[in-house]
Amino acid sequence: MTTATVTRELPRQVGLPTGLRNTMTLTWRNLVQIKHNPMELVDLSVQPIMFVLLFAFVFGPAMAGSVQDYLPILIPGIIVQNALFASMTTGVGLNNDVTKGVFDRFRSLPIARSAPLAGRIIADTVKQAWSMFIVMVVGLIIGFRVETNWINLLPAFLLLLAFSLLFAWVSVFVGLAVDEPEKVQIFGFTIIFPVSFLSNAFIPVTDKYPGWIRAIMENNPVSLLGDAIRGLLIGHDVTNPSVSQPVLSPAIQAMIWGVAIAAVFIPLSMRAFKRKV
């Protein structure tokens, strides 16, 4: 006697409410994983603290004359750099899920096809917010002061999170394209470090730089985000307190960079995602 095996094809499309519930469930799953992998929280917390303290107390006196004078330059810049580095965790997490077969298990479930990807991105955005919060708290402890209005912290964080969400698609594509999580991290260091240091994140742009380097530094999205955040939190040019620091123009330019990056990497990421799932 033979046994007939009936295979039921699970639905690939679900309604919007169900898709949102699936996404939130997987977002929570990615967040509670920190409980089982505390080193991830250490990485999101300790590394930013180390960067702030090293740059402030080692480079601050040489670059600005004192730690206190250097903090208005450093804290906005290092928040931006840290947000970009934190976005790389999206690619690392996705790559782990793919290489360990987690996505294969998701594919067998009657859930929204986009839920695993959306859940990962949203969860990592929450982690980025935590990392930004840590940098700001450490900055306040060692002497950084908001010179405009504390309410401006909200638009500053929202601007950074919006750009990070767009930039995260670079990490998504890399995480889906490579075969090892370490390669995602290598990519992050190879790209983000030069972009961060060829900016005004850690030192003001002056005429001492060659013209082509100065042009890169002034139009770098890291510089633009740093300028917008300094305008929101400090209100004046860090090298000339009598000159106000604009906010709207650098913020718009930074978001144009973000939209352009997302426009390139979202289609590439979705193509890679469809091949995986």
mmCIF file of all heavy atoms in Angstrom, residues 132-163:
data_model
loop_
_atom_site.group_PDB
_atom_site.id
_atom_site.type_symbol
_atom_site.label_atom_id
_atom_site.label_comp_id
_atom_site.label_asym_id
_atom_site.label_seq_id
_atom_site.Cartn_x
_atom_site.Cartn_y
_atom_site.Cartn_z
ATOM 1 N N MET A 132 22.608 55.988 19.577
ATOM 2 C CA MET A 132 22.673 57.463 19.537
ATOM 3 C C MET A 132 22.431 58.046 20.922
ATOM 4 O O MET A 132 23.095 59.009 21.337
ATOM 5 C CB MET A 132 21.625 58.002 18.565
ATOM 6 C CG MET A 132 21.828 57.634 17.113
ATOM 7 S SD MET A 132 20.428 58.229 16.120
ATOM 8 C CE MET A 132 20.563 57.166 14.681
ATOM 9 N N PHE A 133 21.479 57.472 21.637
ATOM 10 C CA PHE A 133 21.166 57.933 22.992
ATOM 11 C C PHE A 133 22.386 57.791 23.895
ATOM 12 O O PHE A 133 22.697 58.702 24.684
ATOM 13 C CB PHE A 133 19.981 57.133 23.530
ATOM 14 C CG PHE A 133 19.671 57.389 24.978
ATOM 15 C CD1 PHE A 133 19.032 58.546 25.369
ATOM 16 C CD2 PHE A 133 20.024 56.461 25.946
ATOM 17 C CE1 PHE A 133 18.753 58.789 26.718
ATOM 18 C CE2 PHE A 133 19.746 56.683 27.281
ATOM 19 C CZ PHE A 133 19.102 57.853 27.667
ATOM 20 N N ILE A 134 23.095 56.686 23.782
ATOM 21 C CA ILE A 134 24.285 56.457 24.602
ATOM 22 C C ILE A 134 25.338 57.528 24.335
ATOM 23 O O ILE A 134 25.939 58.089 25.265
ATOM 24 C CB ILE A 134 24.865 55.054 24.318
ATOM 25 C CG1 ILE A 134 23.951 53.972 24.902
ATOM 26 C CG2 ILE A 134 26.270 54.910 24.892
ATOM 27 C CD1 ILE A 134 23.898 53.947 26.406
ATOM 28 N N VAL A 135 25.581 57.835 23.044
ATOM 29 C CA VAL A 135 26.580 58.855 22.704
ATOM 30 C C VAL A 135 26.185 60.200 23.302
ATOM 31 O O VAL A 135 27.024 60.918 23.867
ATOM 32 C CB VAL A 135 26.737 58.965 21.177
ATOM 33 C CG1 VAL A 135 27.644 60.142 20.810
ATOM 34 C CG2 VAL A 135 27.328 57.682 20.605
ATOM 35 N N MET A 136 24.913 60.565 23.181
ATOM 36 C CA MET A 136 24.471 61.849 23.705
ATOM 37 C C MET A 136 24.622 61.915 25.221
ATOM 38 O O MET A 136 25.084 62.923 25.774
ATOM 39 C CB MET A 136 23.012 62.093 23.298
ATOM 40 C CG MET A 136 22.428 63.394 23.834
ATOM 41 S SD MET A 136 23.365 64.870 23.301
ATOM 42 C CE MET A 136 23.000 64.847 21.551
ATOM 43 N N VAL A 137 24.257 60.849 25.915
ATOM 44 C CA VAL A 137 24.366 60.839 27.379
ATOM 45 C C VAL A 137 25.822 60.963 27.811
ATOM 46 O O VAL A 137 26.145 61.752 28.714
ATOM 47 C CB VAL A 137 23.743 59.545 27.953
ATOM 48 C CG1 VAL A 137 24.100 59.390 29.424
ATOM 49 C CG2 VAL A 137 22.230 59.566 27.776
ATOM 50 N N VAL A 138 26.717 60.222 27.161
ATOM 51 C CA VAL A 138 28.138 60.315 27.509
ATOM 52 C C VAL A 138 28.658 61.720 27.225
ATOM 53 O O VAL A 138 29.423 62.291 28.011
ATOM 54 C CB VAL A 138 28.957 59.261 26.732
ATOM 55 C CG1 VAL A 138 30.449 59.448 26.981
ATOM 56 C CG2 VAL A 138 28.544 57.856 27.142
ATOM 57 N N GLY A 139 28.235 62.297 26.089
ATOM 58 C CA GLY A 139 28.646 63.661 25.773
ATOM 59 C C GLY A 139 28.200 64.649 26.833
ATOM 60 O O GLY A 139 28.974 65.527 27.249
ATOM 61 N N LEU A 140 26.958 64.517 27.299
ATOM 62 C CA LEU A 140 26.455 65.413 28.342
ATOM 63 C C LEU A 140 27.231 65.229 29.645
ATOM 64 O O LEU A 140 27.508 66.198 30.357
ATOM 65 C CB LEU A 140 24.971 65.164 28.568
ATOM 66 C CG LEU A 140 24.029 65.565 27.419
ATOM 67 C CD1 LEU A 140 22.622 65.063 27.688
ATOM 68 C CD2 LEU A 140 24.042 67.075 27.219
ATOM 69 N N ILE A 141 27.592 63.991 29.952
ATOM 70 C CA ILE A 141 28.331 63.725 31.194
ATOM 71 C C ILE A 141 29.696 64.401 31.181
ATOM 72 O O ILE A 141 30.146 64.955 32.196
ATOM 73 C CB ILE A 141 28.475 62.209 31.411
ATOM 74 C CG1 ILE A 141 27.110 61.589 31.755
ATOM 75 C CG2 ILE A 141 29.485 61.904 32.528
ATOM 76 C CD1 ILE A 141 27.119 60.086 31.827
ATOM 77 N N ILE A 142 30.374 64.392 30.020
ATOM 78 C CA ILE A 142 31.734 64.951 29.975
ATOM 79 C C ILE A 142 31.755 66.428 29.596
ATOM 80 O O ILE A 142 32.830 67.017 29.485
ATOM 81 C CB ILE A 142 32.638 64.150 29.007
ATOM 82 C CG1 ILE A 142 32.131 64.241 27.565
ATOM 83 C CG2 ILE A 142 32.752 62.709 29.454
ATOM 84 C CD1 ILE A 142 33.044 63.558 26.559
ATOM 85 N N GLY A 143 30.572 67.049 29.403
ATOM 86 C CA GLY A 143 30.569 68.489 29.249
ATOM 87 C C GLY A 143 29.875 69.069 28.042
ATOM 88 O O GLY A 143 29.798 70.292 27.901
ATOM 89 N N PHE A 144 29.361 68.253 27.133
ATOM 90 C CA PHE A 144 28.641 68.791 25.979
ATOM 91 C C PHE A 144 27.329 69.402 26.446
ATOM 92 O O PHE A 144 26.653 68.857 27.312
ATOM 93 C CB PHE A 144 28.362 67.690 24.962
ATOM 94 C CG PHE A 144 27.549 68.149 23.777
ATOM 95 C CD1 PHE A 144 28.131 68.899 22.775
ATOM 96 C CD2 PHE A 144 26.197 67.836 23.685
ATOM 97 C CE1 PHE A 144 27.382 69.318 21.674
ATOM 98 C CE2 PHE A 144 25.447 68.252 22.601
ATOM 99 C CZ PHE A 144 26.042 69.002 21.595
ATOM 100 N N ARG A 145 26.975 70.554 25.871
ATOM 101 C CA ARG A 145 25.745 71.233 26.261
ATOM 102 C C ARG A 145 24.916 71.602 25.042
ATOM 103 O O ARG A 145 25.454 72.062 24.038
ATOM 104 C CB ARG A 145 26.069 72.509 27.064
ATOM 105 C CG ARG A 145 26.714 72.218 28.412
ATOM 106 C CD ARG A 145 25.753 71.505 29.342
ATOM 107 N NE ARG A 145 26.343 71.166 30.629
ATOM 108 C CZ ARG A 145 26.879 69.974 30.923
ATOM 109 N NH1 ARG A 145 26.894 69.012 30.007
ATOM 110 N NH2 ARG A 145 27.376 69.728 32.109
ATOM 111 N N VAL A 146 23.603 71.383 25.156
ATOM 112 C CA VAL A 146 22.671 71.841 24.127
ATOM 113 C C VAL A 146 22.459 73.331 24.333
ATOM 114 O O VAL A 146 21.938 73.762 25.364
ATOM 115 C CB VAL A 146 21.327 71.089 24.220
ATOM 116 C CG1 VAL A 146 20.336 71.646 23.199
ATOM 117 C CG2 VAL A 146 21.546 69.596 23.997
ATOM 118 N N GLU A 147 22.870 74.148 23.347
ATOM 119 C CA GLU A 147 22.851 75.604 23.505
ATOM 120 C C GLU A 147 21.604 76.238 22.905
ATOM 121 O O GLU A 147 21.404 77.446 23.037
ATOM 122 C CB GLU A 147 24.103 76.215 22.874
ATOM 123 C CG GLU A 147 25.395 75.716 23.504
ATOM 124 C CD GLU A 147 26.633 76.310 22.856
ATOM 125 O OE1 GLU A 147 26.525 77.441 22.311
ATOM 126 O OE2 GLU A 147 27.695 75.661 22.863
ATOM 127 N N THR A 148 20.782 75.476 22.222
ATOM 128 C CA THR A 148 19.569 76.032 21.618
ATOM 129 C C THR A 148 18.363 75.711 22.491
ATOM 130 O O THR A 148 17.994 76.472 23.358
ATOM 131 C CB THR A 148 19.373 75.466 20.200
ATOM 132 O OG1 THR A 148 19.409 74.026 20.245
ATOM 133 C CG2 THR A 148 20.466 75.965 19.272
ATOM 134 N N ASN A 149 17.763 74.549 22.248
ATOM 135 C CA ASN A 149 16.575 74.144 22.991
ATOM 136 C C ASN A 149 16.555 72.620 23.062
ATOM 137 O O ASN A 149 16.818 71.941 22.071
ATOM 138 C CB ASN A 149 15.305 74.651 22.284
ATOM 139 C CG ASN A 149 14.065 74.528 23.153
ATOM 140 O OD1 ASN A 149 13.826 73.482 23.755
ATOM 141 N ND2 ASN A 149 13.283 75.598 23.214
ATOM 142 N N TRP A 150 16.226 72.094 24.236
ATOM 143 C CA TRP A 150 16.219 70.646 24.402
ATOM 144 C C TRP A 150 15.210 69.962 23.487
ATOM 145 O O TRP A 150 15.373 68.787 23.131
ATOM 146 C CB TRP A 150 15.941 70.281 25.857
ATOM 147 C CG TRP A 150 17.126 70.491 26.740
ATOM 148 C CD1 TRP A 150 17.428 71.606 27.462
ATOM 149 C CD2 TRP A 150 18.199 69.566 26.979
ATOM 150 N NE1 TRP A 150 18.611 71.450 28.131
ATOM 151 C CE2 TRP A 150 19.106 70.201 27.858
ATOM 152 C CE3 TRP A 150 18.465 68.275 26.539
ATOM 153 C CZ2 TRP A 150 20.271 69.576 28.303
ATOM 154 C CZ3 TRP A 150 19.622 67.644 26.981
ATOM 155 C CH2 TRP A 150 20.518 68.291 27.846
ATOM 156 N N ILE A 151 14.174 70.698 23.091
ATOM 157 C CA ILE A 151 13.185 70.130 22.174
ATOM 158 C C ILE A 151 13.835 69.767 20.845
ATOM 159 O O ILE A 151 13.378 68.845 20.143
ATOM 160 C CB ILE A 151 12.018 71.124 21.975
ATOM 161 C CG1 ILE A 151 11.296 71.367 23.306
ATOM 162 C CG2 ILE A 151 11.038 70.627 20.922
ATOM 163 C CD1 ILE A 151 10.205 72.398 23.231
ATOM 164 N N ASN A 152 14.920 70.468 20.477
ATOM 165 C CA ASN A 152 15.593 70.217 19.204
ATOM 166 C C ASN A 152 16.263 68.846 19.149
ATOM 167 O O ASN A 152 16.676 68.395 18.076
ATOM 168 C CB ASN A 152 16.639 71.295 18.930
ATOM 169 C CG ASN A 152 16.012 72.617 18.562
ATOM 170 O OD1 ASN A 152 14.795 72.702 18.370
ATOM 171 N ND2 ASN A 152 16.826 73.658 18.451
ATOM 172 N N LEU A 153 16.391 68.185 20.307
ATOM 173 C CA LEU A 153 16.934 66.831 20.286
ATOM 174 C C LEU A 153 16.044 65.894 19.468
ATOM 175 O O LEU A 153 16.545 64.988 18.790
ATOM 176 C CB LEU A 153 17.056 66.293 21.713
ATOM 177 C CG LEU A 153 18.261 66.768 22.523
ATOM 178 C CD1 LEU A 153 18.114 66.337 23.969
ATOM 179 C CD2 LEU A 153 19.557 66.199 21.942
ATOM 180 N N LEU A 154 14.741 66.110 19.524
ATOM 181 C CA LEU A 154 13.815 65.229 18.806
ATOM 182 C C LEU A 154 14.011 65.310 17.292
ATOM 183 O O LEU A 154 14.219 64.267 16.654
ATOM 184 C CB LEU A 154 12.374 65.549 19.194
ATOM 185 C CG LEU A 154 11.301 64.710 18.488
ATOM 186 C CD1 LEU A 154 11.496 63.232 18.791
ATOM 187 C CD2 LEU A 154 9.909 65.165 18.902
ATOM 188 N N PRO A 155 13.953 66.524 16.667
ATOM 189 C CA PRO A 155 14.191 66.548 15.216
ATOM 190 C C PRO A 155 15.590 66.092 14.837
ATOM 191 O O PRO A 155 15.781 65.516 13.753
ATOM 192 C CB PRO A 155 13.953 68.014 14.833
ATOM 193 C CG PRO A 155 14.028 68.784 16.099
ATOM 194 C CD PRO A 155 13.582 67.855 17.170
ATOM 195 N N ALA A 156 16.577 66.327 15.716
ATOM 196 C CA ALA A 156 17.939 65.868 15.410
ATOM 197 C C ALA A 156 17.984 64.347 15.328
ATOM 198 O O ALA A 156 18.562 63.772 14.388
ATOM 199 C CB ALA A 156 18.910 66.380 16.469
ATOM 200 N N PHE A 157 17.358 63.669 16.286
ATOM 201 C CA PHE A 157 17.337 62.212 16.277
ATOM 202 C C PHE A 157 16.487 61.672 15.132
ATOM 203 O O PHE A 157 16.855 60.670 14.505
ATOM 204 C CB PHE A 157 16.821 61.677 17.620
ATOM 205 C CG PHE A 157 17.900 61.515 18.646
ATOM 206 C CD1 PHE A 157 18.328 62.593 19.405
ATOM 207 C CD2 PHE A 157 18.511 60.294 18.846
ATOM 208 C CE1 PHE A 157 19.335 62.457 20.347
ATOM 209 C CE2 PHE A 157 19.523 60.142 19.788
ATOM 210 C CZ PHE A 157 19.937 61.223 20.533
ATOM 211 N N LEU A 158 15.370 62.325 14.844
ATOM 212 C CA LEU A 158 14.519 61.877 13.736
ATOM 213 C C LEU A 158 15.232 62.016 12.402
ATOM 214 O O LEU A 158 15.116 61.146 11.530
ATOM 215 C CB LEU A 158 13.206 62.667 13.724
ATOM 216 C CG LEU A 158 12.239 62.387 14.878
ATOM 217 C CD1 LEU A 158 11.018 63.282 14.767
ATOM 218 C CD2 LEU A 158 11.832 60.920 14.905
ATOM 219 N N LEU A 159 15.985 63.096 12.236
ATOM 220 C CA LEU A 159 16.756 63.287 11.002
ATOM 221 C C LEU A 159 17.782 62.171 10.831
ATOM 222 O O LEU A 159 17.921 61.588 9.744
ATOM 223 C CB LEU A 159 17.451 64.651 11.034
ATOM 224 C CG LEU A 159 18.421 64.948 9.876
ATOM 225 C CD1 LEU A 159 17.675 64.986 8.545
ATOM 226 C CD2 LEU A 159 19.160 66.269 10.117
ATOM 227 N N LEU A 160 18.489 61.870 11.916
ATOM 228 C CA LEU A 160 19.496 60.811 11.854
ATOM 229 C C LEU A 160 18.864 59.449 11.589
ATOM 230 O O LEU A 160 19.379 58.659 10.787
ATOM 231 C CB LEU A 160 20.277 60.761 13.176
ATOM 232 C CG LEU A 160 21.592 61.533 13.211
ATOM 233 C CD1 LEU A 160 22.220 61.419 14.592
ATOM 234 C CD2 LEU A 160 22.548 61.020 12.156
ATOM 235 N N LEU A 161 17.757 59.168 12.250
ATOM 236 C CA LEU A 161 17.106 57.877 12.050
ATOM 237 C C LEU A 161 16.571 57.752 10.631
ATOM 238 O O LEU A 161 16.641 56.671 10.022
ATOM 239 C CB LEU A 161 15.972 57.691 13.058
ATOM 240 C CG LEU A 161 16.396 57.425 14.497
ATOM 241 C CD1 LEU A 161 15.173 57.360 15.410
ATOM 242 C CD2 LEU A 161 17.196 56.134 14.606
ATOM 243 N N ALA A 162 16.038 58.854 10.076
ATOM 244 C CA ALA A 162 15.531 58.821 8.707
ATOM 245 C C ALA A 162 16.657 58.532 7.720
ATOM 246 O O ALA A 162 16.522 57.702 6.818
ATOM 247 C CB ALA A 162 14.851 60.147 8.365
ATOM 248 N N PHE A 163 17.796 59.215 7.903
ATOM 249 C CA PHE A 163 18.923 58.966 7.005
ATOM 250 C C PHE A 163 19.455 57.549 7.197
ATOM 251 O O PHE A 163 19.777 56.865 6.215
ATOM 252 C CB PHE A 163 20.044 59.977 7.255
ATOM 253 C CG PHE A 163 21.195 59.820 6.291
ATOM 254 C CD1 PHE A 163 21.176 60.464 5.066
ATOM 255 C CD2 PHE A 163 22.285 59.016 6.607
ATOM 256 C CE1 PHE A 163 22.223 60.314 4.165
ATOM 257 C CE2 PHE A 163 23.328 58.856 5.713
ATOM 258 C CZ PHE A 163 23.308 59.508 4.494
#
